Amino acid sequence: MNLFNVYPLFNINPVKAQGSFLWDDKGEQYLDFYGGHAVISIGHNHPYYQGRLKEQLDKISFYSNSVQNELQTELAEKLGKLSGLEEYNLFLCNSGAEANENALKLASFHNGKSKVLYFSGSFHGRTSAAVSVTDNPKIVAPVNYDERFIKSEWNNIAQLEDIFEKEGNAISSVIIEGIQGVGGIMIPTVEFLTKIKELCEKHNTVLILDEVQSGYGRSGYFFAHQEFEIEADVITTAKGMGNGFPIGGVLIHPKFKASNGLLGTTFGGNHLACAAAIAVLDVMQEENLIENAQKMGAYIEDAIKDFPHIKTIRRKGLMIGIELDRDCAEVRNSLLYDHHIFTGNSNDKTVLRILPALNIKKEETDLFVTALKTVLENITVKEQEVFIH
């Protein structure tokens, strides 16, 4: 049997990782400035994280949600405390897409409506309803398409108001990323989020904040939308939650009432997943990683802001989009193959996406800054040589 090849792969095979570094099967070292799509929040193989997982393996790895699991309770309590959302309730699942599926379903159960409003540039997952509210026709199969899903332009208040005037009574939920990641680190304005909240309250519409990538301290706040003091009805999270162990969560406002069988999952909230997620929260608190995200993100922006070929820098904490004056592929490939640094791209081909671990250190950051400067200056030299000849 062969793999079903749906991923374009770099010819690199990592076999070991520690902190912000990876090593391939040839012994070459790489600096990880992408964290596997913002998944690695506390660094690879953090000793406390490893210890919690190994300890849990010696006890029990899994049983279904038909029995009590005190680790789920501990996780909910610690997540509520660190996020400042202690009054919310937590439903545990396995991924960001699954979290968004459950959020959309919960909203529809709550108000009995069926339409969903989403935004241009969005990415909410690849499963049934989640992909239907993702703005990428290439990954939306005919079975996923439905006119119940309505798209509005990002940060366009006039269009938003027009849609609500026509469809407000039928819109079950609005789903929006705290910061668009795949879309190219697009940050909503406070006016835009405030208007969404106002219209949702007016029309009995559920406001879902997708914080799958922008949450868990990535933005310099626990959840990105908290900077604007917007209260979401439902918040979804996943990527940084388990530092590589699959886990997702739905944070649910207390106005939603639970009932037996309303939501469900086989693997969600299993013992190992909870141990991983608890370890992440413990490390985040102990090492002040949200503060470090603010500090190191600002340091990176200040260090690179005057480099050639950079048009704009879009950033909150350590969620950074570097918009270049060209397709970022050449720069990304040079960083990877010439300087051994992993970075990311986005649906905007000009945006280089930077998502290092929240405990990144200054000396590691300087490696990236130096390499990026070299790559961009080499482009200038090449263009001058072409011009001269």
Side-chain angles (χ1 to χ4, degrees):
M1 184 182 291
N2 294 317
L3 294 175
F4 192 57
N5 291 319
V6 295
Y7 303 113
L9 300 176
F10 292 114
N11 189 25
I12 298 170
N13 178 26
V15 295
K16 177 184 172 184
Q18 187 66 49
S20 290
F21 293 96
L22 304 165
W23 287 264
D24 68 13
D25 54 356
K26 301 177 181 64
E28 295 287 349
Q29 178 178 292
Y30 295 81
L31 174 64
D32 186 5
F33 244 61
Y34 190 55
H37 312 295
V39 167
I40 302 301
S41 50
I42 61 170
H44 295 278
N45 287 343
H46 191 288
Y48 179 78
Y49 175 85
Q50 281 187 307
R52 285 298 301 254
L53 279 171
K54 290 175 180 176
E55 179 185 347
Q56 190 58 48
L57 272 170
D58 287 335
K59 295 178 179 177
I60 180 173
S61 301
F62 172 82
Y63 204 75
S64 78
N65 284 304
S66 61
V67 298
Q68 295 183 32
N69 181 350
E70 62 184 10
L71 292 172
Q72 293 184 358
T73 303
E74 181 183 354
L75 172 56
E77 289 174 351
K78 288 184 172 179
L79 175 54
K81 185 175 181 180
L82 196 56
S83 68
L85 299 170
E86 293 179 273
E87 74 276 17
Y88 281 60
N89 297 301
L90 178 65
F91 175 77
L92 291 166
C93 53
N94 306 283
S95 69
E98 189 181 345
N100 285 331
E101 292 285 348
N102 280 288
L104 293 166
K105 184 178 181 181
L106 183 65
S108 188
F109 273 136
H110 178 72
N111 56 28
K113 298 191 283 185
S114 62
K115 293 190 176 184
V116 180
L117 182 63
Y118 69 103
F119 298 97
S120 59
S122 64
F123 185 92
H124 297 291
R126 294 176 180 269
T127 52
S128 179
V131 81
S132 298
V133 291
T134 290
D135 186 21
N136 184 351
K138 292 181 180 179
I139 65 172
V140 181
V143 72
N144 303 123
Y145 177 77
D146 194 291
E147 292 182 355
R148 291 173 299 163
F149 301 102
I150 307 166
K151 183 171 73 173
S152 184
E153 291 299 313
W154 184 256
N155 278 337
N156 188 329
I157 291 176
Q159 186 178 28
L160 179 72
E161 290 179 318
D162 184 60
I163 290 171
F164 262 97
E165 185 176 343
K166 295 174 182 176
E167 303 275 2
N169 291 333
I171 297 174
S172 171
S173 59
V174 174
I175 185 167
I176 182 170
E177 291 156 276
I179 300 169
Q180 287 188 346
V182 175
I185 314 300
M186 300 299 294
I187 301 168
T189 65
V190 63
E191 294 81 8
F192 186 56
L193 274 182
T194 301
K195 178 56 68 173
I196 292 171
K197 176 64 176 177
E198 174 190 316
L199 291 169
C200 283
E201 288 186 347
K202 179 180 178 181
H203 293 275
N204 187 29
T205 296
V206 174
L207 174 56
I208 301 170
L209 256 297
D210 177 346
E211 295 276 8
V212 168
Q213 187 171 132
S214 55
Y216 258 75
R218 171 65 50 187
S219 71
Y221 292 81
F222 196 92
F223 293 119
H225 73 277
Q226 290 178 308
E227 177 182 1
F228 303 123
E229 299 182 353
I230 300 291
E231 184 181 69
D233 297 312
V234 179
I235 303 164
T236 59
T237 187
K239 290 188 185 298
M241 188 176 185
N243 201 52
F245 200 101
I247 185 170
V250 187
L251 283 72
I252 303 164
H253 191 280
K255 71 181 179 183
F256 295 84
K257 302 305 177 187
S259 61
N260 288 339
L262 186 72
L263 304 176
T265 170
T266 297
F267 299 106
N270 66 74
H271 296 76
L272 276 177
C274 286
I278 290 167
V280 168
L281 290 172
D282 287 346
V283 171
M284 286 179 65
Q285 184 170 28
E286 180 68 24
E287 299 183 8
N288 298 313
L289 296 192
I290 298 176
E291 180 184 350
N292 193 62
Q294 294 176 334
K295 177 182 173 182
M296 296 312 299
Y299 178 79
I300 291 170
E301 181 175 4
D302 186 63
I304 70 174
K305 63 184 180 183
D306 296 322
F307 286 1
H309 305 293
I310 293 179
K311 291 177 65 178
T312 59
I313 300 170
R314 297 194 285 271
R315 181 191 69 83
K316 291 290 183 179
L318 281 171
M319 193 167 182
I320 305 172
I322 303 169
E323 184 186 9
L324 303 174
D325 60 6
R326 64 200 59 230
D327 191 311
C328 76
E330 178 185 357
V331 173
R332 188 185 182 204
N333 287 337
S334 182
L335 285 169
L336 181 58
Y337 291 113
D338 299 332
H339 299 273
H340 286 185
I341 300 175
F342 277 96
T343 57
N345 59 2
S346 71
N347 284 345
D348 183 339
K349 301 303 181 185
T350 66
V351 174
L352 187 71
R353 197 157 38 130
I354 308 301
L355 302 163
L358 304 185
N359 58 356
I360 194 79
K361 299 178 177 61
K362 181 179 179 296
E363 53 268 30
E364 297 160 349
T365 297
D366 287 340
L367 294 174
F368 166 74
V369 170
T370 301
L372 181 64
K373 182 178 182 181
T374 299
V375 171
L376 295 177
E377 287 180 346
N378 284 344
I379 289 174
T380 299
V381 171
K382 289 178 185 177
E383 288 181 342
Q384 289 173 345
E385 289 174 349
V386 170
F387 178 76
I388 290 171
H389 289 94

